[in-house]
Amino acid sequence: MAMSGAGSPASFDEAVLRLARNDPSLIHLSLLKEHVGPEEASALAAALRTNTYLSTIIFSYREKGRIGDEGATALAAALRHNSSLTVLALLGWNGIGAAGATALAAALQHNTALTRLDLFNNEIGTEGTTAIANALRHNETVTEVNLASCNIAAQGAMALASALPDNVTLEVLCLDGNPIADEGVTALADALRDDAALNMLSINDSDVGAEGAKALADALRENTALRILSLEKNDSLGRDAVVEISSALRHNSTLSMLCLDSSGLDDKGATALAYVLRHNSTLTDLTLRNNEIGAHGAKAIGHALPHNSKLELLDLSNNNAGSEGAAALVDGLRENATLMVLELGDNHIDDDEEFLFHEIDQLLSINDSEPPPLAFMVKKSVYPTINKIPDSVMPSVLARVGQLPARFSLTTTYRIVKEMNWLKET
């Protein structure tokens, strides 16, 4: 069990007892190793009803227990009375289905404290998602919802899209690992045209194709709120879709982070993005790892760097830039004053790799007068679930996440922890 606060409980029973006593020192509760089934979740819920200090609960499924719909329903009932809990994360296959999600959704229509709901890797399906979408029409406090890997099809995404016009507070929506396909993405894109609240949309590994990408591109031409768009692991996107998105970015003045890892991007798409870098004044983070960018595309991006005064992070690792493409990037970096992170690993640079990487480090150190940008901490494409965080650093993770801007909070915790170096000091 990992806790945050003075005198951390030694057991689950002690945690429940302290919650029932309204202990002001127990603020964060992370249950990663304890056996937490429906009975334990119900006991916790009973204590939560009258507690006024606990702000964060994280459950992550372990082999010996999952809270299921029964436990989720009990917690939902407690949420109707609780006024302190702001983060509820029921992660890692807790056995929550449509019934549990529906109960939580009903609670959201009464609760005015919760700001983050994370149901990563549960089987809530379209029915559960629709219930949450309906709740978001009326809820005015939830800012982040993570429904990654929740078996959501296009209809579920369409339900969420239909709720967005009625919601003015949701800032982060994560639907990674759900087969929402072009139909669901198109519905979300249509909602984004006029949406003024959503700052981050993550639809990695969601079967997004050319049609969905075109709809997103059209939305980006009109949207003035979205800051982060993540489309990683949608390998059917391809060059034409990336060209469409690149064209839209010429007209967009708000997007700051674009993630296109493993998207089938080739030299043509990279060249289109290079043109954007010459003219765009908002993009700070561009991740293009695990694609098919060769020397031609890398050279185009390198030639654009002297004309860009905003980009802080560029990830081109695991492409095929070669020595020629890498050299062009170094040349561009010499005349760029803002880039602080440039990743070029696994690019077939051969014998020149050590020399080029040393020169890149030297050039980046000139730009890097401050700590690495926040983007560096949240950019990775592989999301380790929160139960993989070592117990020894979990309190530090929770504390640091609480200090981050709202758009980089619990739904991106698993990204932050991927860069473990920044935790060594804690």
Side-chain angles (χ1 to χ4, degrees), residues 91-317:
L91 316 174
W93 183 228
N94 260 293
I96 301 171
T102 299
L104 289 167
L108 289 182
Q109 298 193 44
H110 301 275
N111 181 282
T112 58
L114 200 72
T115 60
R116 306 168 192 166
L117 176 64
D118 197 329
L119 297 178
F120 168 67
N121 204 20
N122 283 284
E123 292 285 329
I124 71 171
T126 296
E127 181 182 348
T129 306
T130 300
I132 291 173
N134 289 334
L136 290 176
R137 294 178 185 274
H138 308 285
N139 183 280
E140 297 180 352
T141 56
V142 172
T143 60
E144 303 183 25
V145 173
N146 182 8
L147 302 179
S149 301
C150 281
N151 195 28
I152 301 169
Q155 291 78 9
M158 292 167 68
L160 288 167
S162 69
L164 288 180
D166 297 321
N167 182 287
V168 296
T169 56
L170 189 66
E171 298 177 358
V172 176
L173 178 60
C174 180
L175 296 174
D176 299 350
N178 290 296
I180 63 175
D182 284 342
E183 186 178 8
V185 174
T186 298
L188 289 168
D190 288 344
L192 282 177
R193 290 174 182 269
D194 300 316
D195 186 88
L198 201 67
N199 287 334
M200 174 180 174
L201 176 63
S202 187
I203 44 178
N204 302 328
D205 191 20
S206 297
D207 295 338
V208 184
E211 183 180 344
K214 185 180 184 306
L216 286 170
D218 290 341
L220 287 175
R221 291 184 172 92
E222 301 180 31
N223 180 277
T224 58
L226 199 67
R227 301 293 187 270
I228 302 171
L229 176 61
S230 191
L231 292 166
E232 300 169 358
K233 297 185 180 179
N234 288 293
D235 53 14
S236 59
L237 278 179
R239 66 164 72 169
D240 293 337
V242 174
V243 170
E244 284 278 358
I245 292 172
S246 300
S247 176
L249 290 179
R250 300 178 194 178
H251 307 280
N252 181 280
S253 60
T254 54
L255 197 72
S256 61
M257 182 186 294
L258 177 62
C259 305
L260 292 171
D261 302 7
S262 304
S263 61
L265 179 64
D266 62 6
D267 282 344
K268 182 179 179 181
T271 301
L273 286 169
Y275 182 85
V276 171
L277 292 179
R278 288 175 176 267
H279 303 280
N280 182 279
S281 60
T282 59
L283 204 62
T284 61
D285 183 316
L286 181 60
T287 63
L288 306 173
R289 61 186 291 147
N290 299 321
N291 280 297
E292 301 169 13
I293 301 171
H296 182 76
K299 287 167 67 175
I301 293 174
H303 294 158
L305 288 180
H307 306 280
N308 183 279
S309 60
K310 194 68 175 180
L311 197 67
E312 297 178 351
L313 180 146
L314 175 61
D315 189 348
L316 287 166
S317 55

